[in-house]
């Protein structure tokens, strides 16, 4: 269930396709593995909220709060601060290539320290390691290579693992709203 095919697609509008930055890899995962990942993601999201592994205002990647909820909350906060004449500023941060840089050993270590059940940590460690992927180009041979870092694109659990991985980046803002 760990083997996946990666379809290599050219990114549109690139002047040259000689660089890895000019392509996008879409990983096709097996349906059975996606079902199992969804079950683990559901259990892990409950555990993550209970153990405070994610920011309290995390929107998206968890049930109950979506990106739409974050946008509505931001607009409401800005409008309520502007009514009495206060100035409002907003900072947005985009972590490019974040999913590709999740380190399995660091993530599993922080999950263990936080008290996540051993079976979940073991499953996540196994899920993120030794996953062979076959990159499919036109006319290329079908050879699998191990993937060493990152979370698979398209996996139901990948967004949650990333959110937990970067949770320590959140800082407390004395007067303001912090959304993730």
């Amino acid at each position: 269930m760990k083997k996946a095919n990666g379809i290599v697609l050219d990114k549109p509008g690139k002047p040259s396709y000689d660089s890895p930055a000019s392509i996008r890899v879409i990983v096709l995962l097996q349906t059975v593995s996606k079902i199992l990942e969804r079950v683990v993601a559901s259990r892990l999201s409950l555990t993550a909220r209970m153990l405070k592994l994610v920011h309290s205002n995390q929107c998206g990647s968890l049930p109950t709060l979506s990106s739409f909820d974050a946008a509505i909350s931001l607009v409401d906060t800005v409008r309520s601060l502007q009514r009495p004449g206060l100035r409002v500023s907003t900072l947005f941060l985009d972590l490019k290539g974040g999913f590709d840089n999740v380190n399995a050993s660091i993530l599993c270590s922080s999950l263990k320290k936080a008290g996540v059940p051993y079976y979940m940590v073991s499953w996540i460690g196994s899920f993120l390691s030794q996953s062979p992927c076959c990159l499919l180009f036109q006319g290329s041979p079908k050879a699998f290579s191990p993937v060493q870092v990152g979370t698979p694109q398209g996996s139901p659990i990948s967004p949650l693992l990333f959110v937990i991985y970067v949770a320590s980046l959140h800082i407390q803002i004395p007067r303001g709203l912090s959304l993730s």
Side-chain angles (χ1 to χ4, degrees):
M1 288 194 335
K2 293 177 86 169
K3 285 186 175 183
N5 288 321
I7 308 299
V8 179
L9 302 173
D10 294 337
K11 290 182 182 176
K14 295 291 182 177
S16 169
Y17 292 97
D18 298 334
S19 163
S22 64
I23 62 169
R24 173 175 288 126
V25 178
I26 305 297
V27 178
L28 304 175
L29 304 170
Q30 295 184 22
T31 304
V32 174
S33 67
K34 281 192 168 193
I35 293 169
L36 178 60
E37 292 164 30
R38 176 74 62 197
V39 170
V40 175
S42 176
R43 291 182 180 188
L44 181 60
S45 68
L46 293 172
T47 303
R49 284 272 194 210
M50 185 179 67
L51 296 174
K52 299 185 186 328
L53 293 175
V54 293
H55 189 267
S56 58
N57 288 342
Q58 174 62 44
C59 299
S61 305
L62 292 169
T64 68
L65 291 176
S66 68
S67 299
F68 181 78
D69 295 314
I72 294 298
S73 182
L74 178 62
V75 168
D76 181 61
T77 301
V78 167
R79 286 183 179 160
S80 66
L81 290 171
Q82 287 176 331
R83 275 187 211 110
L86 297 173
R87 292 185 181 181
V88 180
S89 61
T90 305
L91 172 67
F92 294 96
L93 178 65
D94 181 17
L95 300 176
K96 183 176 179 159
F99 281 33
D100 300 339
N101 293 297
V102 172
N103 184 302
S105 61
I106 292 172
L107 176 63
C108 288
S109 176
S110 62
L111 291 173
K112 282 179 197 172
K113 286 178 189 172
V116 173
Y118 177 76
Y119 76 92
M120 272 193 211
V121 175
S122 295
W123 186 91
I124 291 165
S126 174
F127 172 72
L128 294 177
S129 64
Q130 302 168 1
S131 299
C133 183
C134 177
L135 295 180
L136 302 174
F137 296 90
Q138 283 186 336
S140 69
K142 195 167 186 170
F144 284 90
S145 299
V147 177
Q148 301 298 327
V149 294
T151 60
Q153 179 185 3
S155 168
I157 197 168
S158 290
L160 177 58
L161 294 176
F162 176 73
V163 164
I164 293 170
Y165 188 71
V166 298
S168 62
L169 296 177
H170 292 97
I171 58 172
Q172 292 295 75
I173 300 174
R175 284 181 37 195
L177 172 67
S178 177
L179 295 171
S180 176

